[in-house]
Amino acid sequence: MAKRFGNNSNIGVHFTFKTKNNWILSAEGNFLFGDKVKEPILDSLKSSNGEIINEFGEYARVVLSERGLFFAGSIGKLIPVWGPNKNSGIMITAGAGFLQHKIRIETEGNNVPALFGDYSKGYDRLSNGFALKQFVGYLYLGKRKLYNFFIGIEFWQAFTKNRRDYNFDMMKKDDTLKKDFLYSFKFGWILPIYIQQTQKYYTY
């Protein structure tokens, strides 16, 4: 992905269940986005002066950006150290899921015939496939249930293929299996839900 995009960011929702033995089970969904595209996918549409001409014979404004998504399920362990209680400590998880990414093509005024409607799909490099992920970080759950967060480093390894039938600029279909490796600094704020144990009362 480094050959196609620059740095990206992601935002999402993460649901986690911690057992009383400090096992971690989680599911998450993330939206990926970035504003830098390195791959010259539209060079074949440019004139001799490096500009794309719209249907009115004017220079077109075309903006390329990165878009994607990632879903995964994970399992891991909490090691209770450096915290106010046994629910805080070092968290290590590993899981598997699905990664998808593409190049978003935006044309101001939608006035470039070669990029109308489905034609843009011949350039967007839509790719997806199976992915693995690992996370190492710190989990903090405060005693007052107000300050709760996690912070750490996450690694993804995905095995993706281009899902379009034909790439117009390459004049062929791309069947190459690609290895997409990402690493990120991750921070999240936690809204905890505690399961209370049933209390038994005896009357004599």
Side-chain angles (χ1 to χ4, degrees):
M1 290 182 69
K3 296 179 180 179
R4 182 170 294 170
F5 305 110
N7 293 331
N8 62 34
S9 300
N10 71 79
I11 185 170
V13 179
H14 196 138
F15 298 95
T16 299
F17 178 78
K18 188 185 80 67
T19 71
K20 63 180 181 180
N21 296 322
N22 283 337
W23 284 101
I24 301 288
L25 303 173
S26 64
E28 64 181 293
N30 298 281
F31 173 67
L32 279 68
F33 56 96
D35 60 2
K36 186 173 183 179
V37 176
K38 300 178 181 179
E39 194 166 3
I41 60 171
L42 301 181
D43 279 3
S44 61
L45 301 180
K46 294 181 178 179
S47 62
S48 58
N49 63 355
E51 296 289 344
I52 297 176
I53 307 301
N54 64 23
E55 61 183 341
F56 305 111
E58 303 168 336
Y59 292 154
R61 175 174 167 77
V62 181
V63 178
L64 304 180
S65 55
E66 177 187 4
R67 292 292 185 271
L69 51 86
F70 179 75
F71 297 100
S74 300
I75 185 171
K77 189 74 172 178
L78 175 70
I79 304 172
V81 294
W82 305 328
N85 53 57
K86 65 179 182 179
N87 294 318
S88 301
I90 295 179
M91 181 169 62
I92 302 173
T93 66
F98 175 84
L99 173 69
Q100 176 171 292
H101 55 77
K102 72 172 185 176
I103 299 172
R104 182 181 183 185
I105 304 172
E106 297 179 90
T107 305
E108 188 176 282
N110 192 30
N111 51 23
V112 179
L115 299 176
F116 281 170
D118 288 345
Y119 285 119
S120 64
K121 295 180 180 180
Y123 298 96
D124 70 3
R125 303 294 197 270
L126 176 67
S127 302
N128 57 46
F130 176 74
L132 300 171
K133 61 155 287 190
Q134 304 85 38
F135 175 86
V136 178
Y138 180 75
L139 172 69
Y140 179 91
L141 295 178
K143 293 181 178 180
R144 296 184 178 181
K145 304 181 182 181
L146 179 61
Y147 301 107
N148 309 279
F149 63 88
F150 68 87
I151 188 170
I153 300 175
E154 189 168 76
F155 304 92
W156 300 355
Q157 305 89 38
F159 307 91
T160 64
K161 291 184 68 174
N162 190 318
R163 302 304 175 178
R164 299 306 188 193
D165 293 329
Y166 194 80
N167 287 342
F168 293 149
D169 59 309
M170 298 174 63
M171 300 182 66
K172 65 178 182 179
K173 178 177 174 61
D174 181 8
D175 284 323
T176 307
L177 178 64
K178 296 181 175 61
K179 298 177 182 178
D180 296 332
F181 297 158
L182 299 97
Y183 61 91
S184 63
F185 172 78
K186 197 166 186 178
F187 172 81
W189 194 260
I190 299 172
L191 299 175
I193 299 175
Y194 293 96
I195 300 176
Q196 300 292 338
Q197 292 184 349
T198 301
Q199 296 186 17
K200 296 181 181 180
Y201 296 91
Y202 298 93
T203 302
Y204 298 93

